[in-house]
């Protein structure tokens, strides 16, 4: 339990930082005079942590969980100090990049360390605890950030990381001291592969993020980012095929269980993060909710996910099986998202019920996909396999927000609404919806709300269609007995 406590602290740090900043962005932009690049305070962290996650997985397999996780915590702590001391918006964005590079290791290495100390049969239950930490961070982050900014200063949303990070560092160093320092053989770290992967993925993610902010896809700088990123990723694939000890073993992705689970996790977070952004906008613009109540209406979704993960973990411990859980969750998700398209956003209770169903569908898939992936690879590759699942989740979230936001902008433009690109990094949708809300309840506002609702409905149906890919893949998933399961469980699987 000491090990689990330390790892949960590390996971809490990474999860809290993704939610605590957004609520105080306007005040930060006001104090540092940086409204034009405000959105990048969040995007910089998400992109950096996404890029770093699979690299941390490989390093933890080579150098050991304890040293790599300690490094991630120290980098996160130093970057938090830099964020708190930032005097300009560019300084804050650079510090957030460093903080993201540390945060990328907090979650993936912690989950891999859980795999080192918990048998596979029991692991789903502990992954349910991880989902619970995520839920707490998602709900508490905006509240804590708002109170700190109101009563102290926005800088305290970063200062608060110091005692948590120091406690996590001391606990992790003490709790993981008995874990092996490495895989027992010499490794050569593929620095060129890590550089190509980081550079290429950064270019693609920055391109997608700019699209989600409403920038023109045909701008020369956007196309340069996309072209350069794709070229670097192609070189990365070439490098990994020839490297003696690649950063991401491409052969692992040819294992059907690993590939299917990574895709389903990608689709889970493609939907989850996008819904977390788009549903509050829909509640405000179409349903007429205030900003604070719109955020609170996401609580049923946020609470249902760890509950679904807890159920999945218990069922895996009892049965030793993961495929039925993934199949139920992946089949239910597109149906629920399609139902969201036709539920009146003003119907609070019915919307909450549908969101609970979506949260349960996603929650069932999270621990089952992770445990299935860890079960499909040798123990010495658990770190990079776990990092691949974490990377798939984070990549799905980043791509989902960018793609679905871009589709929504296109739908609004097609309907005749004036949605024009904005200079700098300001989010075009947020700017547009602030203008809509300022219209009040007149006839013009009613027309705009109806137009927006048609766009949201089409968007949710398109999102549901994308989710249909998951159950089609899970059907092809080959279930294997969880390592450490009793013989009778193996017989039941057969």
């Amino acid at each position: 339990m000491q090990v689990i406590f330390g790892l949960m602290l590390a996971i809490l740090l990474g999860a809290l930082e993704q939610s605590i900043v957004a609520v105080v962005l306007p005040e930060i932009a006001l104090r540092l005079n940086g409204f034009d690049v405000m959105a990048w305070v969040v995007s910089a962290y998400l992109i950096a942590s996404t890029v770093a996650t699979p690299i941390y997985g490989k390093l933890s397999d080579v150098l050991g969980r304890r040293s790599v996780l300690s490094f991630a915590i120290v980098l996160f702590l130093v970057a938090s100090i830099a964020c708190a001391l930032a005097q300009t918006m560019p300084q804050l964005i650079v510090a957030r990049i460093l903080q993201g590079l540390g945060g990328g290791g907090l979650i993936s290495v912690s989950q891999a360390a859980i795999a080192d100390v918990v048998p596979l049969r029991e692991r789903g239950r502990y992954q349910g605890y991880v989902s619970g930490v995520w839920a707490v961070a998602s709900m508490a982050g905006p509240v804590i950030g708002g109170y700190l900014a109101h009563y102290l200063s926005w800088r305290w949303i970063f200062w608060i990381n110091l005692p948590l990070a120091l406690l996590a560092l001391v606990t992790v160093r003490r709790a993981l001291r008995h874990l092996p320092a490495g895989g027992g053989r010499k490794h050569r770290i593929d620095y060129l592969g890590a550089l190509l992967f980081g550079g290429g993925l950064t270019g693609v993610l920055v391109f997608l993020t700019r699209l989600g902010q409403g920038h023109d896809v045909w701008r020369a700088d956007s196309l340069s980012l996309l072209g350069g990123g794709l070229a670097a990723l192609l070189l990365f694939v070439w490098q990994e095929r020839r490297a003696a000890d690649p950063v991401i073993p491409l052969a692992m992705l040819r294992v059907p269980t690993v590939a299917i689970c990574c895709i389903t996790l990608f689709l889970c977070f493609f939907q989850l993060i996008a819904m977390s952004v788009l549903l509050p906008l829909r509640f405000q613009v179409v349903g007429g909710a205030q900003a604070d109540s719109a955020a609170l209406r996401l609580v049923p979704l946020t609470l249902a996910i760890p509950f679904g993960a807890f159920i999945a973990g218990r069922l895996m411990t009892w049965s030793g099986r993961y495929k039925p859980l993934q199949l139920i969750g992946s089949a239910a998700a597109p149906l629920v998202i399609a139902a969201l398209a036709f539920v009146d956003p003003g119907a609070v209770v019915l919307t909450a019920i549908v969101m609970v169903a979506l949260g349960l569908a996603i929650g069932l898939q999270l621990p089952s996909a992770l445990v299935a992936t860890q079960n499909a690879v040798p123990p010495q590759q658990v770190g990079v396999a776990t990092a691949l699942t974490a990377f798939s989740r984070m990549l799905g979230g980043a791509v989902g927000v960018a793609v679905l936001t871009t589709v929504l902008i296109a739908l609004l433009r097609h309907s005749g609404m004036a949605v024009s690109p904005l200079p700098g990094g300001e989010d075009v949708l947020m700017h547009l919806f602030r203008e809509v809300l300022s219209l009040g309840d007149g006839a013009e506002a009613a027309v705009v709300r109806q137009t927006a609702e048609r766009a949201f409905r089409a968007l949710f149906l398109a999102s549901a269609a994308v989710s249909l890919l998951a159950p089609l893949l899970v059907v092809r998933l080959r279930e294997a007995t969880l390592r450490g399961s009793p013989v009778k469980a193996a017989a039941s699987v057969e």
Side-chain angles (χ1 to χ4, degrees):
M1 291 310 298
Q2 184 186 19
V3 172
I4 297 300
F5 175 73
L7 298 176
M8 290 301 168
L9 271 178
I11 292 172
L12 178 64
L13 274 175
L16 193 64
E17 203 55 40
Q18 295 184 13
S19 61
I20 197 172
V21 174
V23 70
V24 296
L25 268 184
E27 181 176 349
I28 294 176
L30 178 65
R31 300 294 182 186
L32 299 184
N33 192 27
F35 278 99
D36 56 337
V37 292
M38 180 176 69
W40 287 102
V41 176
V42 173
S43 299
Y45 180 91
L46 293 177
I47 291 173
S49 58
T50 302
V51 170
T53 294
I55 298 174
Y56 272 110
K58 178 63 177 181
L59 290 177
S60 72
D61 281 340
V62 174
L63 304 176
R65 317 283 187 231
R66 184 171 181 251
S67 59
V68 174
L69 184 55
S70 299
F71 171 80
I73 295 173
V74 170
L75 178 58
F76 183 88
L77 189 152
V78 172
S80 296
I81 296 174
C83 289
L85 297 176
Q87 300 300 311
T88 65
M89 193 63 89
Q91 289 178 8
L92 179 59
I93 292 173
V94 171
R96 286 284 285 172
I97 293 173
L98 293 176
Q99 196 180 36
L101 293 176
L106 297 179
I107 296 168
S108 62
V109 181
S110 295
Q111 288 187 319
I114 291 175
D116 289 338
V117 297
V118 179
L120 265 166
R121 186 72 178 263
E122 300 287 333
R123 205 170 293 165
R125 178 157 56 95
Y126 287 91
Q127 297 305 330
Y129 299 157
V130 172
S131 298
V133 170
W134 272 99
V136 170
S138 299
M139 289 188 298
V143 176
I144 294 172
Y147 274 101
L148 289 175
H150 181 75
Y151 290 104
L152 296 172
S153 163
W154 65 265
R155 299 182 186 276
W156 278 91
I157 66 174
F158 301 111
W159 287 124
I160 197 177
N161 290 331
L162 269 64
L164 291 175
L166 288 172
L167 179 60
L169 180 62
V170 171
T171 307
V172 164
R173 295 290 299 174
R174 181 179 303 167
L176 301 185
R177 64 186 183 277
H178 297 304
L179 290 184
R185 63 184 181 89
K186 292 185 177 180
H187 294 264
R188 295 181 59 186
I189 298 176
D190 181 16
Y191 294 105
L192 178 59
L195 182 62
L196 289 170
F197 176 80
L201 189 60
T202 299
V204 173
L205 287 177
V206 171
F207 168 79
L208 291 172
T209 302
R210 287 166 61 89
L211 284 189
Q213 294 171 354
H215 289 270
D216 187 359
V217 65
W218 302 114
R219 284 180 49 165
D221 51 355
S222 295
L223 291 176
S224 298
L225 283 170
L226 178 61
L230 292 176
L233 289 177
L234 288 174
L235 288 174
F236 165 75
V237 172
W238 170 80
Q239 168 64 15
E240 296 306 274
R241 287 179 172 175
R242 61 186 290 271
D245 200 358
V247 175
I248 301 178
L250 299 181
M252 183 181 294
L253 294 175
R254 292 197 291 270
V255 177
T257 298
V258 175
I260 290 173
C261 289
C262 285
I263 293 173
T264 56
L265 288 172
F266 175 92
L267 292 172
C268 277
F269 275 73
F270 182 98
Q271 305 297 350
L272 174 60
I273 305 301
M275 293 298 162
S276 300
V277 172
L278 296 174
L279 280 173
L281 291 179
R282 189 189 188 201
F283 294 151
Q284 293 178 70
V285 176
V286 182
Q290 298 297 319
D292 54 351
S293 62
L296 286 175
R297 287 182 63 181
L298 283 179
V299 170
L301 174 64
T302 307
L303 289 179
I305 292 172
F307 187 67
F310 176 79
I311 292 173
R314 288 292 181 178
L315 289 175
M316 277 193 294
T317 300
W318 171 70
S319 67
R321 302 186 64 185
Y322 50 80
K323 182 175 179 178
L325 301 169
Q326 288 183 269
L327 191 57
I328 293 171
S330 61
L335 298 177
V336 177
I337 295 171
L340 273 176
F342 296 100
V343 173
D344 182 358
V348 177
V349 175
L350 183 57
T351 303
I353 293 173
V354 177
M355 287 195 296
V356 166
L358 178 60
L360 291 174
I362 292 175
L364 287 176
Q365 298 177 72
L366 298 185
S368 55
L370 175 59
V371 171
T373 300
Q374 293 175 342
N375 191 55
V377 300
Q380 63 269 23
Q381 291 186 336
V382 163
V384 69
T386 303
L388 272 178
T389 61
F391 169 71
S392 299
R393 295 196 304 266
M394 299 175 75
L395 185 63
V399 172
V401 170
V403 170
L404 292 182
T405 305
T406 303
V407 171
L408 180 58
I409 292 172
L411 290 169
L412 292 172
R413 284 174 176 162
H414 181 72
S415 65
M417 292 183 66
V419 186
S420 56
L422 298 172
E426 187 177 357
D427 192 308
V428 66
L429 270 184
M430 292 304 298
H431 178 79
L432 170 70
F433 289 151
R434 280 196 297 268
E435 290 185 348
V436 172
L437 295 173
S438 68
L439 294 176
D441 298 322
E444 183 181 357
V447 173
V448 172
R449 292 180 195 278
Q450 291 175 2
T451 302
E453 173 60 4
R454 287 194 295 270
F456 276 112
R457 182 169 297 170
L459 180 72
F460 288 164
L461 290 175
S463 181
V466 172
S467 287
L468 285 173
L469 176 63
L472 297 177
L473 290 173
V474 173
V475 168
R476 302 172 61 87
L477 185 65
R478 183 179 179 182
E479 189 166 41
T481 305
L482 293 179
R483 289 196 296 267
S485 299
V487 176
K488 61 179 182 180
S492 66
V493 172
E494 294 298 332

